[in-house]
Amino acid sequence: MYNFSVRRAGSAEITCDWLYSTEGSPEPCRGNLTDWMGEFFSPRYPINYSNNVQWTWTIHSTGNRTVGLTFADVDLETCCDYIRVYDGPSTLHPLLGEIREYRNKSSFKSSNNDLTVIFYSDASVPSRGFHANWVFLESCGGNLTDSMGEFFSPRYPNNYPDYSQCTWTIYSTGNRTVSLTFTDVDLEKCCDYIRVYDGPSTLHPLLDEIREYRNQSLKSSNNDLTVLFYSDHSITSRGFHANWVFVAGMCLLQQENCFSG
């Protein structure tokens, strides 16, 4: 029998014992993680994990908070061992991704309160394993459909939290485009940013990346704009405040000051 450790913010180290069955097949070990942030890793990390093992961790937040998960190190037998991340409290929920090797910014975010992580190894060639961090995120972002309005970073004008990732999509209709103006921007310039995309998702063309205040407006080419706000793990600032308004398409082409209500 051996155990693995999970370190959590504000609490003592806990262990999860794992035992082979008499037939030598693995029995899964489970851990429930409920602190607002912490770290966990494969058994024995950074020493090689054992063969024929399976572990499941469920990370559970409460209220209006989601879960952010980042893999800081991954070293597995890429053919056969894997980590799987599910968007919910069990493996019956949607699969967000499968990891077999380290990728820069191997990060996941739940859509609700829970993430489930499974680690599996087969009968041969163990490796170093993995190290992961989780943090609870304040829910932010949304779909904006009014003809004009304002939105801002979480907690504005107080400092936004670490590990923020918020997406707003502004939807107009008919022959109207979206005009977006940032009236205040105060971010950690090296690492935090706002990105504005010309369409209803981040898969559309990037119009601009903003890390400091500039007196400018951004305009969509069609009905939609998408705004992504990201902050890393350190040095938060005041954040941003923005206004949007729907603009009649022909007036925009004629560069007239005419807005549709």
Side-chain angles (χ1 to χ4, degrees):
M1 182 176 69
Y2 62 91
N3 60 56
F4 69 89
S5 297
V6 178
R7 288 199 291 271
R8 305 183 300 174
S11 67
E13 182 175 284
I14 62 171
T15 61
C16 179
D17 293 328
W18 184 87
L19 193 65
Y20 280 99
S21 70
T22 56
E23 291 79 17
S25 60
E27 296 178 355
C29 179
R30 297 183 179 274
N32 294 317
L33 311 178
T34 58
D35 278 1
W36 73 276
M37 69 179 303
E39 59 182 348
F40 63 102
F41 23 79
S42 51
R44 303 179 179 175
Y45 179 88
I47 300 171
N48 288 3
Y49 52 81
S50 293
N51 296 321
N52 292 310
V53 293
Q54 180 174 313
W55 294 268
T56 303
W57 296 265
T58 299
I59 311 169
H60 175 69
S61 69
T62 57
N64 196 32
R65 296 186 294 180
T66 58
V67 181
L69 175 68
T70 301
F71 288 89
D73 183 28
V74 176
D75 179 41
L76 308 180
E77 182 191 15
T78 55
C79 74
C80 309
D81 302 343
Y82 57 79
I83 304 160
R84 289 177 180 166
V85 181
Y86 296 85
D87 188 16
S90 75
T91 58
L92 300 177
H93 290 77
L95 177 67
L96 292 179
E98 180 176 286
I99 300 174
R100 293 177 180 264
E101 60 187 351
Y102 177 74
R103 301 190 301 270
N104 189 29
K105 293 187 178 179
S106 295
S107 298
F108 299 90
K109 182 181 177 182
S110 67
S111 60
N112 291 291
N113 290 124
D114 305 287
L115 277 182
T116 297
V117 181
I118 284 194
F119 170 60
Y120 168 84
S121 72
D122 72 347
S124 65
V125 193
S127 299
R128 186 172 65 248
F130 74 89
H131 173 213
N133 301 284
W134 85 88
V135 65
F136 293 168
L137 305 170
E138 293 186 21
S139 183
C140 56
N143 296 323
L144 310 176
T145 58
D146 287 346
S147 62
M148 63 173 58
E150 62 178 358
F151 63 100
F152 26 79
S153 51
R155 304 180 183 175
Y156 180 87
N158 298 315
N159 284 15
Y160 51 81
D162 294 329
Y163 297 106
S164 293
Q165 184 168 321
C166 314
T167 303
W168 295 266
T169 301
I170 310 171
Y171 294 97
S172 70
T173 57
N175 191 33
R176 297 187 295 179
T177 58
V178 181
S179 177
L180 176 68
T181 302
F182 289 91
T183 59
D184 183 25
V185 177
D186 178 38
L187 308 179
E188 182 192 16
K189 294 179 185 177
C190 73
C191 309
D192 303 342
Y193 56 79
I194 305 159
R195 290 177 179 167
V196 182
Y197 297 86
D198 188 16
S201 77
T202 58
L203 299 177
H204 289 76
L206 178 67
L207 289 178
D208 199 4
E209 179 174 286
I210 300 170
R211 295 177 181 264
E212 60 185 350
Y213 176 72
R214 302 193 304 271
N215 185 21
Q216 72 175 96
S217 296
L218 300 167
K219 295 180 176 64
S220 66
S221 61
N222 290 291
N223 290 126
D224 313 296
L225 276 183
T226 297
V227 180
L228 171 67
F229 170 61
Y230 169 85
S231 70
D232 71 349
H233 63 280
S234 66
I235 309 180
T236 62
S237 299
R238 186 172 64 248
F240 75 87
H241 176 267
N243 298 298
W244 84 88
V245 64
F246 293 168
V247 180
M250 290 305 297
C251 293
L252 178 63
L253 292 175
Q254 297 167 6
Q255 297 184 340
E256 296 177 9
N257 185 23
C258 103
F259 301 100
S260 58

